[in-house]
């Protein structure tokens, strides 16, 4: 059994595919078929999975693991999340403005005046662009856009990101016009 120090979610297994023990999975890597390139995949219960074959099928991948040889064994994996350790991700392939989501989690979000808006507790993409979840002590989590306008600088070494709270929607702009209100009809005299 392997305990990962800094787990990064790489895939979630769906259902069985065929009779030979293959499974359908949702891959979270940029290249879905690269799941086998990171070494063994691990579940949080300590099991380890070696990818023997992988192929792309529409918006999922079909994977055959060592030791999973029939449909029943494949069906038992339904819903299992597979992880690798952060150290297995290739840093040298990243561009200067690219980051792994796992590297952003835990960074403190500050504005240019040093005011803290909490720490990044998650990175999400619901289809309209990436969002950072910020959570401060005693505060409810908030989502801000992960865009150049909202996130001005990312400094992994110092463990912080600099944000524009107005662009991120965290504070109101006092210079904005008041919200639209319908005119009340005037009474005729």
């Amino acid at each position: 059994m392997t305990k990962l120090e800094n787990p990064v979610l790489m895939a979630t297994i769906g259902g069985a595919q065929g009779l030979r023990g293959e499974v359908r999975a949702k891959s979270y890597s940029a290249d879905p078929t690269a799941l086998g390139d990171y070494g063994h995949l691990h579940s949080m219960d300590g099991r380890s999975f070696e990818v023997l074959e992988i192929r792309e099928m529409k918006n999922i991948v079909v994977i055959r693991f060592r030791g999973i040889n029939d449909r029943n064994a494949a069906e038992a994996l339904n819903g299992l999340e597979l992880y690798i350790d952060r150290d297995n991700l290739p840093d040298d392939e990243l561009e200067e403005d690219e980051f792994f989501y796992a590297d952003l989690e835990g960074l403190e979000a500050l504005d240019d005046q040093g005011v803290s808006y909490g720490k990044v507790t998650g990175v999400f993409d619901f289809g309209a662009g990436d969002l950072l979840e910020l959570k401060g002590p005693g505060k409810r989590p908030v989502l801000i856009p992960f865009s150049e306008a909202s996130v001005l600088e990312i400094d992994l070494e110092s463990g912080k990101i600099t944000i524009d709270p107005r662009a991120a929607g965290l504070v109101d702009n006092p210079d904005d016009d008041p919200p639209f209100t319908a005119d009340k009809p005037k009474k005729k005299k």
Side-chain angles (χ1 to χ4, degrees):
M1 292 196 179
T2 304
K3 174 82 172 148
L4 300 176
E5 289 185 27
N6 191 3
V8 176
L9 179 62
M10 297 300 290
T12 302
I13 296 177
Q17 173 73 26
L19 302 174
R20 298 182 329 151
E22 293 179 317
V23 295
R24 294 184 306 270
K26 170 73 175 149
S27 173
Y28 302 115
S29 63
D31 176 8
T33 60
L35 282 176
D37 298 345
Y38 303 113
H40 289 246
L41 300 171
H42 305 276
S43 62
M44 289 311 251
D45 62 8
R47 292 182 285 171
S48 180
F49 298 89
E50 180 183 354
V51 175
L52 295 178
E53 295 176 19
I54 188 167
R55 67 182 189 277
E56 214 165 348
M57 176 187 253
K58 294 186 182 179
N59 57 350
I60 61 167
V61 290
V62 176
I63 307 171
R64 189 163 73 85
F65 294 113
R66 181 176 305 284
I68 308 297
N69 299 318
D70 60 38
R71 186 173 182 86
N72 290 338
E75 286 175 347
L77 301 177
N78 190 9
L80 190 68
E81 293 180 330
L82 299 174
Y83 298 84
I84 63 168
D85 197 76
R86 169 60 184 91
D87 293 338
N88 292 350
L89 292 174
D91 288 327
D92 56 337
E93 294 179 16
L94 292 177
E95 298 291 325
E96 187 174 322
D97 61 345
E98 287 183 318
F99 305 92
F100 290 116
Y101 286 171
D103 293 340
L104 298 175
E105 292 179 12
L107 298 180
E108 186 168 11
L110 305 167
D111 65 11
D112 57 356
Q113 304 298 311
V115 176
S116 177
Y117 288 87
K119 291 190 178 215
V120 178
T121 55
V123 184
F124 304 101
D125 184 358
F126 300 113
D130 293 332
L131 298 170
L132 298 179
E133 179 184 58
L134 303 180
K135 173 96 170 82
K139 297 180 183 176
R140 297 180 70 170
V142 294
L143 296 173
I144 66 166
F146 185 36
S147 64
E148 289 181 9
S150 298
V151 179
L152 306 175
E153 182 183 352
I154 298 172
D155 188 351
L156 295 176
E157 278 100 34
S158 67
K160 67 177 185 172
I161 61 172
T162 304
I163 63 169
D164 179 344
R166 285 199 175 93
L170 297 174
V171 296
D172 293 329
N173 188 349
D175 299 333
D176 286 346
D177 294 328
F180 174 76
T181 55
D183 290 331
K184 293 182 181 179
K186 296 180 181 178
K187 293 183 180 179
K188 293 184 181 179
K189 293 185 178 184

